[in-house]
Amino acid sequence: VPIWRHYVTREADLIEEIARFYGYDKIPATVPRVRKVDTVFAPKEVATRRLRRYLVSLGLTELMSLTFSSQEEIGRAALGVDHSEIVKLQNPLSETSETMRVSLVPNLLNAASLNVRRGISLIRAFELGHVYLAQAGQRQPREVERLGLVLSGLREEPHWSRPKEPVDIYDLKGLLESIFNMLEADCTWETGPSSGFDPIFSGIVRVGGKTVARYGKIAKLVCSAFDLEKELFVAEIDLEDVLTFHVEPPVFQAPSAFPPALRDIAVLVGSEVHGQAILDTAQKAWGKLLKTVELFDLYTGKPIPAGKKSVALGLAFQSNEKTLTDKDTQKAWDNILKALEQDFGATLR
């Protein structure tokens, strides 16, 4: 074997060299015999494929981008990434591919910018892929599988029968809720500022106390850096813990044969109080009979005092043993109001 053929290390490599000298055109084409077997995937791969099919069923388009990035691009996206986590390449393909990507967000922003410039009015897309984070004292980076979502433009394709409505933060949050429900992940939602996002319209998702996702409206400065004039809503989910999150199998429960009793309650709370906290308190105050609780109205302005907001809850009480009377629901209603007063200083409106 010639010394410069450094890749010839095994029998198959030597056979390939002989075939090259002999001539591939002289070798007859034959179909190898392959025994049919059932394809078996690892549990995580099964979950990933199931997630991909579900996202496509929701009308999202899958994106595929290179796993390379650059420090300049990371800075434009305002990711707030620790530079010690960035994996730099010794022999990059170009200046824009000098590092491995540490987030899917820059790729989503680039894809959205390209499509907007091409006149696409509706962007609903996702990307499933790995990011690469450097580890102190380790030669190999840590590969983390993530899911990125991007929404922009109109909520639906333009049609004369309906007005043109742009997507907003609630479309993104509803999409995330649908995904986590499909994955059967018991998650909690928190609002708050996150690097690269608008501080008012952003938040995080936790599963088992660990932050697994961040989402929101991309900050205007970041949109300008990527030549985007339209509002853009992006989410990034760490799938490492979500796909392996196991819950107890659901157990069938027979529906109640008795009708629900519907009640409403409207209270004034401080404008800083989050809606999810109000729902959680209401559920805990009388979780026995309270089947569902829904925040159906939010109002600020006159005659509501400054720094306050009016929140209205729809309560559905139901028992498996009897038809509830006004006396039964009034007791539960009073307990919920008392809990809201204690936790948030709420007053009945």
Side-chain angles (χ1 to χ4, degrees):
V1 177
I3 60 174
W4 60 86
R5 302 287 185 185
H6 56 84
Y7 54 83
V8 180
T9 59
R10 54 183 179 166
E11 181 185 4
D13 299 330
L14 187 60
I15 294 173
E16 182 182 359
E17 289 297 311
I18 295 173
R20 186 169 63 84
F21 278 105
Y22 176 69
Y24 287 115
D25 57 324
K26 298 178 182 179
I27 302 175
T30 59
V31 179
R33 293 184 178 181
V34 179
R35 185 170 58 89
K36 185 177 180 181
V37 296
D38 293 331
T39 303
V40 179
F41 296 103
K44 188 176 180 181
E45 179 63 21
V46 173
T48 302
R49 288 169 173 260
R50 174 170 168 255
L51 175 60
R52 177 180 283 109
R53 289 194 297 269
Y54 181 73
L55 293 170
V56 172
S57 74
L58 295 178
L60 275 67
T61 300
E62 183 173 8
L63 305 176
M64 296 184 69
S65 57
L66 296 177
T67 56
F68 303 122
S69 185
S70 66
Q71 295 197 47
E72 183 271 337
E73 191 173 61
I74 295 172
R76 282 194 294 144
L79 297 176
V81 176
D82 188 346
H83 283 272
S84 63
E85 293 186 330
I86 299 177
V87 179
K88 298 181 180 179
L89 301 177
Q90 292 182 348
N91 188 24
L93 298 175
S94 65
E95 293 182 357
T96 59
S97 305
E98 62 182 357
T99 68
M100 301 298 290
R101 64 184 180 188
V102 294
S103 171
L104 299 179
V105 173
N107 292 342
L108 298 176
L109 296 177
N110 283 326
S113 178
L114 177 64
N115 279 273
V116 169
R117 293 197 302 270
R118 297 297 189 274
I120 304 300
S121 61
L122 187 153
I123 298 175
R124 295 173 63 89
F126 74 94
E127 180 170 5
L128 272 167
H130 288 86
V131 301
Y132 304 85
L133 306 175
Q135 304 181 87
Q138 300 289 332
R139 295 188 61 184
Q140 295 295 329
R142 183 168 63 95
E143 293 187 34
V144 182
E145 188 174 12
R146 291 186 181 175
L147 166 64
L149 305 170
V150 57
L151 303 180
S152 185
L154 299 178
R155 182 170 288 135
E156 298 177 306
E157 291 288 355
H159 193 268
W160 61 266
S161 64
R162 56 177 176 262
K164 297 180 180 180
E165 296 182 349
V167 295
D168 56 27
I169 187 65
Y170 299 108
D171 292 285
L172 179 62
K173 188 170 184 288
L175 182 60
L176 286 172
E177 288 177 343
S178 179
I179 292 171
F180 282 113
N181 286 338
M182 188 277 294
L183 294 172
E184 298 181 335
D186 185 13
C187 56
T188 57
W189 303 79
E190 298 180 14
T191 58
S194 187
S195 181
F197 292 99
D198 187 305
I200 299 178
F201 301 103
S202 61
I204 61 174
V205 184
R206 298 183 188 274
V207 172
K210 182 179 180 180
T211 301
V212 298
R214 61 193 194 107
Y215 67 95
K217 183 171 77 171
I218 296 296
K220 290 185 178 180
L221 288 177
V222 177
C223 285
S224 299
F226 284 84
D227 195 22
L228 284 163
E229 297 181 357
K230 294 185 177 182
E231 291 184 338
L232 199 70
F233 299 90
V234 170
E236 187 173 30
I237 305 173
D238 190 333
L239 296 176
E240 293 299 306
D241 294 310
V242 176
L243 288 180
T244 57
F245 184 79
H246 297 286
V247 296
E248 293 296 328
V251 179
F252 171 76
Q253 293 183 350
S256 175
F258 303 96
L262 307 179
R263 298 286 299 270
D264 294 340
I265 183 171
V267 293
L268 293 179
V269 296
S271 57
E272 74 285 354
V273 178
H274 296 308
Q276 186 62 50
I278 296 174
L279 295 175
D280 292 341
T281 296
Q283 189 70 57
K284 292 177 182 177
W286 200 261
K288 203 174 186 181
L289 296 178
L290 186 61
K291 294 301 180 181
T292 61
V293 54
E294 180 184 26
L295 195 158
F296 71 88
D297 186 57
L298 177 65
Y299 177 75
T300 57
K302 296 181 180 181
I304 305 300
K308 297 282 187 179
K309 61 183 176 183
S310 173
V311 177
L313 303 179
L315 311 172
F317 301 96
Q318 193 173 31
S319 171
N320 293 327
E321 302 173 353
K322 64 175 183 177
T323 299
L324 297 177
T325 63
D326 291 341
K327 184 179 180 180
D328 296 325
T329 58
Q330 186 62 42
K331 182 179 179 181
W333 191 92
D334 291 338
N335 286 340
I336 292 172
L337 177 59
K338 184 178 179 180
L340 295 177
E341 291 173 345
Q342 292 177 347
D343 291 357
F344 311 111
T347 56
L348 186 64
R349 186 181 175 196

